[in-house]
Amino acid sequence: DFYEMFNEDAQLAARVLDLALTSRNKGGGEKAPMAGVPAHSAASYIAGLIEKDYKVAICEQLEDAANADGLVERDVIRVITPGTVIESELLSDKENNFLASAVFNNNMFGFAYIDISTGEFYLTEFSASKQEKIWDEINRIQPREIIIDSFFKDNEYYKMARKQHKFVVNEARDINPNRAYSELVEHFKTNSLSGYGCEDKKAGILAAGQILFFLRETQKRTLLHINTLQTYNLNDYMVLDTATRRNLELTTTIRDNKRKGSLLNILDRTVTSMGGRLIKKWINQPLKNRNDINHRLEAVTEMVENYTLLNELRQNIDGIYDLERIMGKITYESANARDLDSLRYSLNKLPSFKDNLDQLTSGLFTELKNDFDSLTDLTDLLEQAIQEEPPVSVREGGLIRDGYNEELDELRESVTVGKDWITGLQKKERKRTGISSLKVGFNKVFGYYIEVTNSNLDKVPEDYTRKQTLSNSERYIIPELKEKEALVLGAEEKINDLEYKLFVDVRSEIGQNVDRIKKTATIISITDVLFSLALTAIEKQFNRPQITDDDLIEITGGRHPVVEDMQEQTFVPNDTYLDYDKNRFILITGPNMSGKSTYMRQVALIVLLAQMGSFIPADTAQIGIVDRIFTRVGASDDLTTGQSTFMVEMNEVANIVHNATHSSLIILDEVGRGTSTYDGLSIAWAVTEYIHDRNTIGARTLFATHYHELTKLEEKLEGLKNYNVLVEEDEKGVHFLHKIVPGSADQSYGIEVARLAGLPDKILINAQRILQQLEAGTGENNENNYPENKIEEDSQLPLFKTEHPVLKKVMQTDLLNMTPMEAMNFLYQIKKEIDEGEERNV
């Protein structure tokens, strides 16, 4: 009934889980601290410990206490760690729970990861010169726990990453590539790993073997649902580093790390947990192979053009439970009858889904439907064996249907007959004794009894034997009732034991079909994602892109999918034209708040969506495949590593210039703004020339800047083109039109943005005055761009030291109640009067 903890474990659990701390006498007077949790609700308590990064060892009885000779044998049956959770109560439906492993071997890095709740298992390796890729992969999959070897302990990346991730350092080094290889072939029951595409990947094999070794030590069972190992190559997918995933807000937002406001939130219309996990993977791993991309796009196109069928197919799979995780629990032997009932319900939906799937003809759907297994034999087994809505407990009966097992039916019949006799006994004894209030009852402690109130004790027959005395009544037994009790209770015990055995047999038979069920689950998840992309395309008016292997990225009417979805006013679309020739570097100037950042991000997202096989938020698009997307957008201090804003910015720029190729897409939203003006301008200038140069990078690039001096580079660099954001000025102020057009802007309208932000008019007026002095040429040689003739109380302009008509006019004007535009006009008139006065004095 309870899991109990003692001594230090009890004290820790009581503190962390807010449990009552008691004690148990160990003999000799010494008391041991003790705390406990109910077995039926243990999962929630385990979750509390796992969330705080504790490991939880589960110790249980290994034999029936009734059969034990002395102490009941017990042992640790499983150790639960953050990366080895399978309990649905501890998992998020649409999120994987990965355990990862990173190793260094023979100048190669190996990386592997697994979700033991679903059985997904992946492996890769790469050169030691690309160490940052391990950390990019870690940030892509967000594992709950990472096993590393001691090589990483002094690594700078590790020192930063351990603040965000849970690491387990394998100090013993008692697993080598040969042992890892043996672990894997033994688990998969194969002669080699050639069938998994990793026979020669020693570092990857070491990482995967380290995971299996860890699981064997902690889970203490054979993991049948881990039935395949997928080897992947980073070069098969578009590379998205950590900064890019964060800046583009692919799965969570930058500000609050929430799903709402991310690209995933827009795209995910999946109706199954399996599809929800897969669409996140597709977003984080866009494809690079043109045929594979078009394979997906053709399937989405077919669904967009068959809206009625799309809805029917989604209804077919809506409500299907998480088959992958159910199979994990079945092979773990932790699934209960409700899990099998959920499986039965899910499998019942497959035939109608298959019928509708057969109507589709595109290449990808044809492959999927040809591999689809309706699993009708397993459905029949579950229909015949498992009760609908069975109890949670598997030890107390009520699991197996009538008619499934002849012996069980006979036992149930004997119980029914016995209970009918007992039910009739009450009527019979009332008549025989004349006690109208006599009752026949049952409880688990005393079994069946006849109860007589104290006022009727004089009528009790001699053949009644007292069984229990209560305050207001006496309870009795008679030989016939005792005989029927033994029959009924004995039969019920046999029924419970037999039902449990039959249930375990059914669960085991289902478990033997794990390969078939997981294959069908994979097909359901893929179709669910394709349906989701099609529905999003229809509802958001996305269109199919054209995918090419050339250098052109041409987008007409492009929109930012998230911003468009969140804003109330109509989104202003924009066009984009990038190639390797005369349009490979687009320099964008214009005001703050005008939409430069949104525009650049939307280009990156449109390319990413196209390469993941999705329709895109644009009228038309021709996308020349990119190998990587880089973004350098904004920056803030990194307090965890002690890096300043400017250092973070420079690290991101360094990553881009070291790793970008001519096939990459680079997004730069300001470079050099974290230092002095001339330092920043010179860095931005040099970075522009370096990226533009075909001999160094020559990548397709969008660069937004407030350094208007950079626009002069259009005359010098043949592949650079100036663009700006249209602004409209009138008597009411400045209006941002959010339209990107050729040409350069001549100002940034920072003061106007400050007005929109709500800065006091007094500050705005003073800022406009200082700006006019700067633009007039004062302070040009001052590194910090301050005007050389700053106005201070002890050093005022001559104008304010004399009685002057202009001064009088200023004093009589209510400046604080002017609009910024009125203030600017007023200052213009003042300056004009001063200039005219100076001319007269000359």
Side-chain angles (χ1 to χ4, degrees):
D1 294 330
F2 276 84
Y3 284 113
E4 296 174 338
M5 294 155 282
F6 298 93
N7 301 317
E8 293 86 351
D9 285 343
Q11 292 170 336
L12 185 150
R15 183 174 70 253
V16 172
L17 301 176
D18 195 25
L19 301 175
L21 186 65
T22 60
S23 61
R24 177 175 290 178
N25 196 314
K26 295 173 64 178
E30 183 182 355
K31 290 187 176 181
M34 184 184 79
V37 299
H40 67 83
S41 60
S44 61
Y45 293 100
I46 293 171
L49 292 167
I50 294 296
E51 284 299 318
K52 292 179 170 58
D53 288 335
Y54 291 104
K55 296 178 182 178
V56 181
I58 306 296
C59 183
E60 293 187 355
Q61 293 179 181
L62 301 183
E63 60 180 340
D64 190 330
N67 301 325
D69 183 13
L71 289 176
V72 178
E73 184 183 358
R74 297 177 175 88
D75 200 355
V76 174
I77 63 164
R78 181 181 169 210
V79 178
I80 305 175
T81 70
T84 60
V85 173
I86 65 164
E87 289 75 11
S88 55
E89 304 94 327
L90 280 63
L91 297 170
S92 174
D93 288 345
K94 291 192 172 185
E95 298 287 337
N96 280 106
N97 194 79
F98 286 124
L99 167 70
S101 170
V103 301
F104 180 75
N105 180 71
N106 197 24
N107 210 35
M108 295 289 288
F109 285 108
F111 185 71
Y113 58 96
I114 194 169
D115 183 342
I116 68 166
S117 71
T118 65
E120 299 164 80
F121 197 4
Y122 301 91
L123 167 160
T124 191
E125 69 173 25
F126 35 83
S127 167
S129 63
K130 299 294 184 182
Q131 182 184 160
E132 72 280 356
K133 289 186 177 180
I134 277 189
W135 308 104
D136 285 337
E137 284 295 276
I138 285 173
N139 282 295
R140 176 179 70 84
I141 68 169
Q142 291 293 307
R144 287 293 308 277
E145 193 171 13
I146 308 161
I147 310 166
I148 57 174
D149 59 28
S150 55
F151 169 84
F152 292 93
K153 285 182 62 179
D154 298 323
N155 182 276
E156 288 301 317
Y157 285 102
Y158 167 67
K159 291 177 181 177
M160 292 186 288
R162 68 182 179 179
K163 297 179 173 66
Q164 301 172 339
H165 301 287
K166 173 72 174 175
F167 287 91
V168 177
V169 181
N170 181 12
E171 295 276 14
R173 302 279 298 176
D174 57 356
I175 183 167
N176 54 49
N178 290 335
R179 183 173 180 186
Y181 187 94
S182 298
E183 288 274 351
L184 290 166
V185 295
E186 181 182 345
H187 174 81
F188 292 116
K189 296 179 172 55
T190 58
N191 294 323
S192 75
L193 297 177
S194 298
Y196 301 111
C198 59
E199 179 72 15
D200 59 345
K201 299 185 183 300
K202 291 187 176 181
I205 288 171
L206 181 58
Q210 189 164 253
I211 283 178
L212 272 189
F213 184 76
F214 181 83
L215 292 180
R216 185 160 56 79
E217 291 294 299
T218 57
Q219 305 309 292
K220 301 179 180 296
R221 67 194 71 202
T222 302
L223 305 172
L224 295 177
H225 68 300
I226 302 172
N227 60 342
T228 189
L229 176 61
Q230 299 181 53
T231 301
Y232 69 103
N233 190 327
L234 294 182
N235 293 328
D236 293 339
Y237 303 96
M238 179 197 292
V239 177
L240 301 168
D241 59 30
T242 302
T244 297
R245 277 192 293 272
R246 182 185 68 247
N247 291 331
L248 294 181
E249 299 183 298
L250 298 184
T251 57
T252 58
T253 58
I254 296 175
R255 183 180 296 274
D256 54 13
N257 202 38
K258 300 292 185 183
R259 176 188 169 107
K260 183 175 175 58
S262 70
L263 179 65
L264 175 62
N265 192 58
I266 296 296
L267 295 183
D268 187 6
R269 304 295 303 279
T270 57
V271 294
T272 69
S273 300
M274 301 172 291
R277 292 192 294 270
L278 183 62
I279 196 169
K280 183 177 180 180
K281 292 175 190 172
W282 282 20
I283 290 172
N284 275 315
Q285 276 191 317
L287 304 173
K288 284 169 55 179
N289 183 282
R290 182 164 159 272
N291 291 332
D292 292 342
I293 297 169
N294 281 325
H295 216 36
R296 290 181 182 176
L297 286 172
E298 287 164 6
V300 175
T301 301
E302 186 173 17
M303 293 299 3
V304 168
E305 294 172 351
N306 291 275
Y307 183 68
T308 302
L309 181 57
L310 169 63
N311 279 329
E312 289 180 8
L313 283 162
R314 293 182 77 240
Q315 289 173 10
N316 289 152
I317 61 173
D318 191 7
I320 287 181
Y321 288 87
D322 197 332
L323 301 182
E324 293 174 336
R325 284 183 170 159
I326 288 176
M327 291 312 298
K329 294 173 72 175
I330 286 174
T331 59
Y332 251 74
E333 300 179 355
S334 64
N336 59 30
R338 288 192 179 178
D339 293 317
L340 295 193
D341 189 41
S342 297
L343 180 62
R344 176 199 57 77
Y345 174 83
S346 301
L347 299 188
N348 261 324
K349 297 175 76 72
L350 298 186
S352 58
F353 176 65
K354 177 66 163 61
D355 290 342
N356 281 325
L357 199 63
D358 283 340
Q359 300 179 51
L360 301 174
T361 59
S362 61
L364 181 52
F365 280 128
T366 298
E367 291 176 10
L368 295 174
K369 68 186 183 184
N370 288 342
D371 289 339
F372 191 82
D373 185 346
S374 296
L375 303 168
T376 52
D377 56 325
L378 301 183
T379 307
D380 291 343
L381 171 63
L382 292 169
E383 286 281 8
Q384 294 166 14
I386 304 300
Q387 290 276 18
E388 286 190 26
E389 301 182 7
V392 174
S393 173
V394 296
R395 294 282 189 177
E396 297 177 7
L399 310 176
I400 305 298
R401 286 181 185 265
D402 291 336
Y404 179 71
N405 179 271
E406 185 177 345
E407 181 183 355
L408 179 62
D409 291 344
E410 291 174 357
L411 287 170
R412 284 176 173 167
E413 178 64 25
S414 67
V415 169
T416 301
V417 170
K419 286 186 174 180
D420 287 346
W421 183 90
I422 292 170
T423 301
L425 179 65
Q426 179 173 289
K427 183 178 180 181
K428 175 184 173 184
E429 289 301 302
R430 282 182 177 179
K431 183 176 181 180
R432 179 166 80 96
T433 62
I435 304 172
S436 60
S437 61
L438 178 148
K439 294 191 301 184
V440 176
F442 172 83
N443 67 38
K444 289 185 177 181
V445 176
F446 291 97
Y448 286 97
Y449 56 81
I450 299 172
E451 184 172 293
V452 179
T453 57
N454 291 342
S455 60
N456 292 297
L457 293 181
D458 58 328
K459 299 178 182 178
V460 172
E462 291 183 1
D463 60 340
Y464 276 29
T465 303
R466 183 179 288 107
K467 191 170 188 177
Q468 184 184 11
T469 299
L470 303 179
S471 59
N472 297 318
S473 62
E474 296 283 350
R475 289 178 176 174
Y476 300 90
I477 191 77
I478 59 175
E480 296 92 337
L481 180 58
K482 194 168 184 178
E483 180 182 333
K484 293 296 183 183
E485 176 187 70
L487 175 67
V488 169
L489 295 184
E492 286 183 338
E493 184 177 346
K494 289 179 181 178
I495 286 171
N496 292 346
D497 290 343
L498 180 56
E499 283 204 60
Y500 177 71
K501 179 182 179 299
L502 293 171
F503 166 76
V504 169
D505 289 343
V506 172
R507 186 173 66 184
S508 177
E509 186 170 346
I510 296 294
Q512 296 302 315
N513 290 273
V514 62
D515 292 0
R516 294 173 61 199
I517 297 174
K518 284 188 64 179
K519 190 173 184 179
T520 294
T522 298
I523 293 172
I524 290 170
S525 64
I526 293 172
T527 54
D528 195 10
V529 173
L530 294 171
F531 301 159
S532 178
L533 295 179
L535 189 63
T536 301
I538 294 169
E539 294 183 349
K540 305 293 183 185
Q541 296 184 315
F542 288 9
N543 292 295
R544 178 175 177 172
Q546 179 184 352
I547 307 299
T548 68
D549 289 321
D550 60 25
D551 63 345
L552 184 62
I553 295 177
E554 184 175 15
I555 301 167
T556 59
R559 314 185 305 274
H560 192 297
V562 180
V563 175
E564 180 182 41
D565 187 72
M566 296 182 71
Q567 71 177 24
E568 295 181 0
Q569 63 268 37
T570 302
F571 188 91
V572 178
N574 275 292
D575 300 341
T576 303
Y577 190 94
L578 286 165
D579 58 27
Y580 290 154
D581 192 20
K582 298 186 183 300
N583 297 275
R584 65 179 175 274
F585 199 108
I586 303 300
L587 188 74
I588 308 169
T589 51
N592 288 301
M593 296 287 293
S594 61
K596 300 190 303 296
S597 295
T598 297
Y599 167 70
M600 293 193 301
R601 284 184 174 97
Q602 81 186 32
V603 172
L605 289 176
I606 287 171
V607 171
L608 184 147
L609 284 168
Q611 289 190 215
M612 71 170 278
S614 169
F615 280 28
I616 46 102
D619 296 335
T620 63
Q622 180 175 327
I623 305 297
I625 291 174
V626 307
D627 62 354
R628 295 188 65 149
I629 294 178
F630 291 94
T631 63
R632 206 233 67 72
V633 179
S636 60
D637 293 341
D638 189 341
L639 299 180
T640 62
T641 60
Q643 296 184 95
S644 67
T645 300
F646 185 62
M647 178 57 78
V648 172
E649 178 183 327
M650 289 300 98
N651 281 338
E652 292 181 357
V653 173
N655 175 53
I656 292 171
V657 298
H658 283 308
N659 294 292
T661 73
H662 75 285
S663 297
S664 302
L665 174 64
I666 300 175
I667 304 298
L668 297 172
D669 191 356
E670 299 295 350
V671 171
R673 298 284 286 183
T675 185
S676 67
T677 301
Y678 291 152
D679 275 354
L681 174 58
S682 63
I683 292 172
W685 192 299
V687 167
T688 298
E689 290 187 336
Y690 188 89
I691 293 175
H692 170 274
D693 191 343
R694 284 174 171 166
N695 295 319
T696 49
I697 299 178
R700 293 160 289 185
T701 304
L702 298 170
F703 183 8
T705 183
H706 285 287
Y707 291 134
H708 297 118
E709 296 86 345
L710 295 179
T711 59
K712 299 174 185 177
L713 288 171
E714 186 178 51
E715 302 170 6
K716 177 184 175 184
L717 305 177
E718 64 170 356
L720 186 147
K721 291 291 183 291
N722 287 327
Y723 280 75
N724 73 100
V725 189
L726 282 181
V727 176
E728 185 179 78
E729 294 184 69
D730 57 26
E731 66 280 358
K732 295 182 180 179
V734 176
H735 306 284
F736 303 135
L737 303 183
H738 308 297
K739 200 69 179 174
I740 308 294
V741 295
S744 59
D746 56 1
Q747 55 181 311
S748 295
Y749 295 95
I751 294 176
E752 181 64 17
V753 174
R755 181 186 70 79
L756 293 174
L759 262 65
D761 288 344
K762 189 171 183 179
I763 292 176
L764 299 173
I765 293 168
N766 195 32
Q768 187 65 43
R769 175 181 58 77
I770 295 172
L771 177 62
Q772 286 177 339
Q773 290 184 3
L774 288 169
E775 291 178 341
T778 56
E780 281 186 358
N781 298 320
N782 185 308
E783 189 181 80
N784 291 315
N785 276 345
Y786 289 126
E788 291 178 347
N789 298 320
K790 283 197 296 183
I791 310 300
E792 296 185 7
E793 291 183 5
D794 59 349
S795 176
Q796 294 183 344
L797 289 174
L799 166 65
F800 296 98
K801 289 188 176 182
T802 61
E803 287 295 328
H804 192 286
V806 173
L807 176 60
K808 186 176 181 181
K809 185 174 183 180
V810 171
M811 298 300 292
Q812 292 174 346
T813 302
D814 186 2
L815 298 175
L816 295 182
N817 286 323
M818 287 184 174
T819 67
M821 188 59 69
E822 290 171 343
M824 290 169 62
N825 291 332
F826 179 73
L827 286 170
Y828 175 78
Q829 292 298 325
I830 293 290
K831 186 175 183 299
K832 184 177 179 181
E833 292 181 25
I834 293 173
D835 291 342
E836 290 173 352
E838 289 178 349
E839 289 176 5
R840 285 194 296 271
N841 290 336
V842 172

